[in-house]
């Protein structure tokens, strides 16, 4: 007993943490309940802890804390009682351990307090960063017999001593350091007793770990006072009274706390008060804590007691995110949350607030603001009663956020004998209670055939064994078929107050999960409809979170794009996307992200989207060897963005051969490449059949008329019941340019050379003059109209002189072409003599079920004779447009218009996927 007496009865220092007024006196400390042999040799203003020892028990020490620990505060001895003002004049701030991490951060906190123009300020602080963990570590080391608790305590002393030396000076510094040394001496004696006993009670642990808050509150109050502001500090154990309800929760006694607050304030009136978070006292004046995240709870309780205008929780993030930004890079800061939404999200693991933090402020409609102490420019997130000021009526305004809980197991109890039998659920959950397991979610079908619920994975074995025991007879008799454990589960919660009675939210959620190929194991939704909870495989959780977040929070038409072929057309398209992306996102909510660009040799990949302002440089700097399979997998495998499209800007038949597989995988395809639609008929029919059977889209408008709406017009005519009789047109911009300029004295070879120089022809003009390109367009239109023709079924009149078809090169061809100018001059003269012009046309003859490509003459007053430049012209003769054909005319060649046609198809895809028209 002598050992315990010497360990506890350290006289310490009779110094206050704040300088006392000359007429003030320390608060009276009651020792009436302490055994006389444990009384300290002298009464210090710092209260001691009393112990009752279980004698004769080796290495055990049962402790009972029997007096509140009171640290001196300045006392106003004025005879008049100061009334506690309440209401909006008070603003409450809470600064966590990160905010109080070191002397510089504490100075920053003081600046924030000083800059608050509220009439009165109440500031709740946590211990300095890591100090609470250090204090718990002291307890753990001492009770495990590890003598390093002594050096660990020295580290605690040095951390606070060095911080104080950097922050405060004068009498405040002397007082604080004396008090700090006194507290450390007491703690050393207490920990020595724990070391000997090998055990510490919960109350004793609470007392020890609460010192971090005492020290940080004293230091901050000194810094504020140093800046000329009247500031007291409060040990909230004198004011805040709580009733422990379990090992992890306490209930505030608001009535008793309010009375103590008024008494405290009457003696310590101040415009600024710095108070300890996390710690409180029981009704028996025994020190306790509000458990983890208790400082937030402290701030909310004190805000309610003061009926403050608002409570600001300062942290190290800009506000509450729509999802965990470590898992979803596209998570956004929420401007507002309702109390219920914040409650739901925090329960399901979102780093918002502890759920109990919200309860006190809800009583008085006190808003909570979550702000970043390191980014004062960020407005933060406001948590309040109503969020009616939210803009927008899309689904994203009804769903506020998503949260996940990992490391769960699903327990399923099922059997036909459960239906209509009272008490089954009671038996299940009483068993769960008996093993102390926490039920996260419950789901039961209306048939009552089964009940499933989620519990932490570490608790599931105990739950399973007890359920097997409780239902032993029912299982043997067959009334229950099984008690099943499904391990490796996670919960995904979708939260939003406005989800209630909003049609389409659930459908959108499950559609997003389905598109991401996520299987849902269980579902729960309360009748309040604030939360839809689904249970998933653990390995699917992050993918599911990204999929649903992108569906609700990104544009509905966020599209991951892969561009194949950054040649003339592809490069032009990329530049058009760059120039228009911001406008599309802002005005039409269309978010187009190029995730990859591949050529024949190199490819550029990005997880978040390529910066199109410098894609050429990035391709050179970060390009890798092209691999089409890896490229497609990169675009398709991005579960963060639900819609994927591959844009083929090549003329490569090998690329076109992949379309079917891409479409089958759910990848949309947009292309100006004619090879797929004009290739083998069976492959074309296969693609079209797949397109009709699936929700995957295939757009190819630019295959026929570059940017002209030829395919769309044809499809519109057919879908509305019109019957196509004939399609006739100048389909080649190159050949249109050649024959529009083959007039006067210009020779044919000169016009071809001019077209080549202007960039209208292919590198080898024979590719244009052969008529093959026009033939492919005719085949595409014929098939679109319903004819089942192969490319070989179309007779084509080639404009390449027979002797030059086998020329060694384009240069050789161009050199020899003038030899045939005389023949072309004769054809032109014959046409002119007849009042006609030459035009190279393609014809789809639906009446005779055939197609043809040929050089044709037209009267000078015919629409085809009015062409200029590289314009295309197409005439649709139908049952509705029989006497006067429907004519489409416009530029039909050039990278700008072709890329524009492809871009138009991409926007049409976005429209199909839900973008506003």
């Amino acid at each position: 007993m002598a050992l315990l007496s010497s360990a506890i009865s350290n006289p310490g220092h009779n110094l206050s943490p704040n300088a006392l007024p000359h007429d003030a006196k320390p608060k009276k400390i009651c020792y009436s309940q302490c055994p006389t042999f444990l009384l300290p040799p002298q009464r210090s203003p710092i209260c001691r802890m009393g112990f009752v020892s279980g004698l004769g028990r080796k290495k055990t020490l049962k402790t009972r804390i029997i007096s509140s620990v009171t640290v001196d505060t300045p006392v106003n001895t004025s005879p008049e009682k100061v009334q506690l003002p309440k209401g909006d004049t008070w603003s409450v701030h809470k600064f966590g351990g990160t905010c109080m991490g070191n002397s510089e951060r504490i100075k920053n906190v003081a600046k924030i307090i000083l800059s608050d123009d509220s009439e009165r300020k109440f500031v709740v602080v946590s211990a300095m960063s890591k100090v609470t963990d250090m204090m718990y570590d002291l307890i753990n080391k001492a009770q495990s017999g590890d003598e390093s608790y002594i050096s660990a305590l020295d580290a605690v002393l040095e951390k606070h001593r060095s911080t104080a030396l950097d922050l405060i000076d004068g009498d405040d510094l002397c007082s604080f350091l004396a008090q700090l040394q006194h507290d450390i001496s007491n703690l050393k004696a207490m920990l020595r007793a724990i070391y000997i006993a090998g055990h510490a009670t919960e109350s004793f642990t609470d007392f020890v770990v609460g010192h971090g808050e005492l020290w940080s509150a004293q230091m901050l109050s000194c810094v504020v006072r140093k800046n000329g502001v009247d500031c007291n500090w409060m040990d909230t154990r004198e004011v805040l009274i709580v009733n422990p309800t379990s090992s992890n929760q306490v209930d505030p006694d608001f009535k008793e706390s309010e009375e103590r607050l008024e008494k405290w304030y009457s003696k310590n009136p101040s415009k600024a008060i710095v108070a300890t978070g996390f710690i409180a006292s029981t009704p028996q004046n025994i020190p306790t804590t509000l458990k983890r995240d208790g400082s937030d709870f402290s701030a909310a309780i004190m805000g309610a007691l003061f009926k403050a205008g608002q409570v600001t929780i300062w942290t190290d993030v800009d506000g509450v995110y729509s999802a965990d930004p470590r898992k979803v890079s596209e998570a956004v800061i929420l401007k507002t949350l309702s109390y219920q939404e914040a409650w739901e999200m925090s329960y399901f693991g979102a780093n918002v607030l502890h759920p109990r933090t919200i309860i006190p402020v809800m009583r008085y409609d006190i808003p909570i603001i979550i702000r970043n102490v390191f980014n004062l420019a960020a407005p933060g997130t406001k948590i309040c009663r109503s969020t009616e000021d939210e803009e927008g009526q899309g689904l994203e305004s009804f769903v506020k956020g998503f949260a996940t809980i990992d490391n769960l197991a699903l327990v399923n109890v099922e059997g036909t004998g459960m239906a209509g039998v009272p008490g089954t659920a009671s038996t299940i959950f009483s068993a769960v209670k008996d093993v102390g397991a926490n039920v996260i979610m419950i789901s039961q079908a209306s048939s009552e055939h089964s009940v499933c619920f989620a519990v932490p994975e570490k608790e599931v074995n105990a739950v399973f064994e007890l359920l097997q025991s409780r239902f032993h007879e029912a299982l043997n008799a067959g009334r229950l078929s099984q008690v099943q454990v499904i391990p490796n589960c996670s919960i995904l919660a979708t939260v939003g107050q406005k989800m209630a009675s909003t049609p389409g939210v659930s459908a959108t959620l499950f559609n997003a999960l389905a598109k991401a190929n996520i299987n849902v194991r269980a579902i729960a939704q309360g009748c309040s409809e604030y939360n839809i909870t689904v249970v998933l495989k653990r390995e699917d959780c992050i993918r599911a979170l990204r999929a649903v977040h992108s569906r609700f929070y990104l544009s509905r038409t966020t599209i991951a794009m892969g561009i194949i072929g950054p040649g003339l057309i592809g490069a032009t398209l990329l530049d058009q996307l760059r120039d228009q992306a911001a406008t599309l996102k802002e005005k039409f909510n269309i978010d187009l992200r190029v995730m990859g660009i591949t050529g024949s040799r190199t490819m550029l990949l990005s997880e978040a989207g390529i910066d199109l302002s410098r894609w050429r440089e990035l391709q050179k700097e970060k390009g890798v060897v092209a691999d089409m399979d890896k490229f497609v997998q990169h675009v398709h495998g991005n579960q963060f963005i639900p819609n994927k499209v591959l844009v083929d800007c090549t003329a490569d038949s090998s690329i076109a051969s992949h379309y079917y597989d891409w479409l089958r995988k759910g990848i949309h395809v947009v292309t100006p490449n004619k090879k797929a639609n004009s290739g083998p008929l069976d492959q074309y029919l296969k693609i079209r059949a797949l397109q009709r059977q699936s929700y995957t889209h295939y757009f190819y408008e630019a295959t026929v008329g570059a940017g002209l709406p030829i395919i769309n017009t044809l499809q519109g005519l057919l879908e509305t019941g019109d019957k196509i009789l004939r399609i006739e047109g100048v389909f080649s911009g190159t050949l249109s340019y050649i024959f529009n300029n083959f007039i006067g004295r210009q020779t044919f070879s000169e016009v071809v050379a001019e077209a080549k120089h202007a960039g209208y022809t292919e590198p080898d003009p024979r590719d244009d003059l052969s008529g093959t390109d026009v033939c492919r367009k005719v085949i595409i239109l014929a098939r679109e109209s319903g004819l089942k023709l192969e490319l070989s079924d179309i007779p084509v009149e080639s404009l390449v002189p027979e002797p030059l078809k086998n020329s060694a090169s384009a240069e050789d061809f161009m050199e020899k072409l003038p030899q045939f100018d005389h023949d072309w001059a004769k054809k032109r003269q014959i046409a002119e003599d007849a009042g006609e012009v030459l035009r190279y046309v393609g014809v789809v003859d639906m009446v005779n079920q055939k197609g043809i490509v040929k050089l044709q003459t037209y009267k000078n007053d015919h629409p085809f004779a009015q062409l200029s430049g590289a314009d295309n012209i197409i005439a649709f003769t139908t049952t509705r447009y029989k006497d006067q054909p429907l004519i489409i005319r416009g530029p039909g060649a050039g990278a700008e218009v072709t890329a524009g046609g492809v871009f138009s198809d991409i926007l049409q895809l976005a429209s199909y996927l839900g973008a506003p028209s």
Side-chain angles (χ1 to χ4, degrees), residues 772-836:
T772 303
D773 182 67
V774 176
C775 182
R776 289 189 180 277
K777 294 178 180 181
V778 169
I779 273 288
I780 291 170
L781 292 175
R783 289 176 175 177
E784 200 73 29
S785 302
L787 296 182
K788 296 181 179 180
L789 300 176
E790 293 281 8
L791 200 61
S792 57
D793 295 330
I794 307 293
V796 178
E797 181 181 349
S798 174
L799 302 183
V800 180
E802 191 66 32
L804 301 185
K805 286 183 178 180
N806 296 319
S807 293
S809 64
E811 290 73 18
D812 183 49
F813 168 76
M814 291 301 298
E815 185 179 334
K816 295 177 180 178
L817 185 59
Q819 298 174 13
F820 300 89
D821 282 343
H822 180 70
D823 295 338
W824 280 107
K826 285 178 63 178
K827 291 179 181 179
R828 179 177 60 190
Q829 189 61 51
I830 293 171
E832 287 177 354
D833 291 346
E836 296 176 337

Side-chain angles (χ1 to χ4, degrees), residues 203-477:
S203 297
F204 191 89
T205 300
D206 287 347
F207 173 75
V208 172
V209 300
H211 278 76
E213 278 70 19
L214 293 170
W215 297 326
S216 64
Q218 291 173 60
M219 286 191 290
L220 179 59
S221 67
C222 289
V223 176
V224 174
R225 194 160 52 244
K226 182 179 176 180
N227 284 274
V229 175
D230 175 29
C231 180
N232 288 331
W233 79 275
M234 174 193 287
D235 179 351
T236 49
R237 293 177 299 189
E238 297 179 38
V239 173
L240 187 52
I241 305 302
V242 296
N243 294 296
T245 59
S246 70
S247 60
N248 293 316
Q249 287 193 356
V250 294
D251 285 337
D253 185 335
F254 284 98
K255 186 174 184 298
E256 177 66 21
S257 298
E258 187 172 20
E259 291 175 0
R260 294 199 182 199
L261 175 61
E262 290 174 351
K263 183 179 178 181
W264 186 95
Y265 190 83
S266 69
K267 297 177 181 178
N268 305 280
S270 180
K271 290 294 182 72
I273 300 170
V274 179
T276 56
F278 183 58
I279 56 178
S281 293
T282 68
Q284 295 76 35
N285 292 330
I286 298 174
T288 188
T289 69
L290 303 183
K291 315 310 173 189
R292 286 293 187 178
D293 299 313
S295 293
D296 288 353
F297 198 13
S298 298
I301 295 169
M302 298 308 295
L305 292 175
F306 280 106
K307 297 182 175 61
Q310 71 178 36
V311 174
T312 303
I313 307 292
W314 293 91
T315 181
D316 57 357
V317 293
D318 286 344
V320 180
Y321 283 88
S322 53
D324 186 340
R326 294 168 298 183
K327 298 176 180 177
V328 180
S329 60
E330 297 286 340
V332 299
I333 297 292
L334 301 174
K335 293 181 180 179
T336 60
L337 279 174
S338 70
Y339 292 127
Q340 290 83 359
E341 288 167 340
W343 196 342
E344 293 278 359
M345 289 185 69
S346 59
Y347 176 79
F348 281 95
N351 187 21
V352 184
L353 296 167
H354 191 280
R356 290 174 63 81
T357 302
I358 299 162
I359 298 172
V361 297
M362 284 181 66
R363 298 172 63 184
Y364 302 104
D365 285 347
I366 300 170
I368 299 175
I369 314 295
I370 312 294
R371 293 195 63 190
N372 190 347
V373 73
F374 305 117
N375 182 14
L376 301 183
T381 299
K382 182 178 182 180
I383 301 171
C384 54
R385 175 72 62 183
S386 174
T387 59
E388 290 300 320
D389 59 340
E390 284 289 310
E391 295 182 359
Q393 292 299 316
L395 289 175
E396 65 277 3
S397 67
F398 301 114
V399 174
K400 280 298 183 67
F402 305 89
T404 58
I405 304 177
D406 294 321
N407 303 317
L408 301 177
L410 202 59
V411 180
N412 182 44
V413 182
E414 66 177 61
T416 55
M418 292 174 58
V421 179
T424 303
S426 174
T427 303
I428 292 171
F429 295 110
S430 66
V432 175
K433 179 185 177 184
D434 289 346
V435 299
N438 180 31
V439 176
I440 308 296
M441 187 213 79
I442 304 169
S443 179
Q444 180 178 9
S446 59
S447 65
E448 302 181 59
H449 177 71
S450 68
V451 176
C452 70
F453 55 94
V455 296
E457 208 157 39
K458 62 184 179 181
E459 299 171 354
V460 73
N461 288 335
V463 172
F464 175 73
E465 289 172 5
L466 190 53
L467 287 175
Q468 287 278 51
S469 175
R470 293 277 174 93
F471 289 108
H472 178 72
E473 291 185 5
L475 287 165
N476 287 339

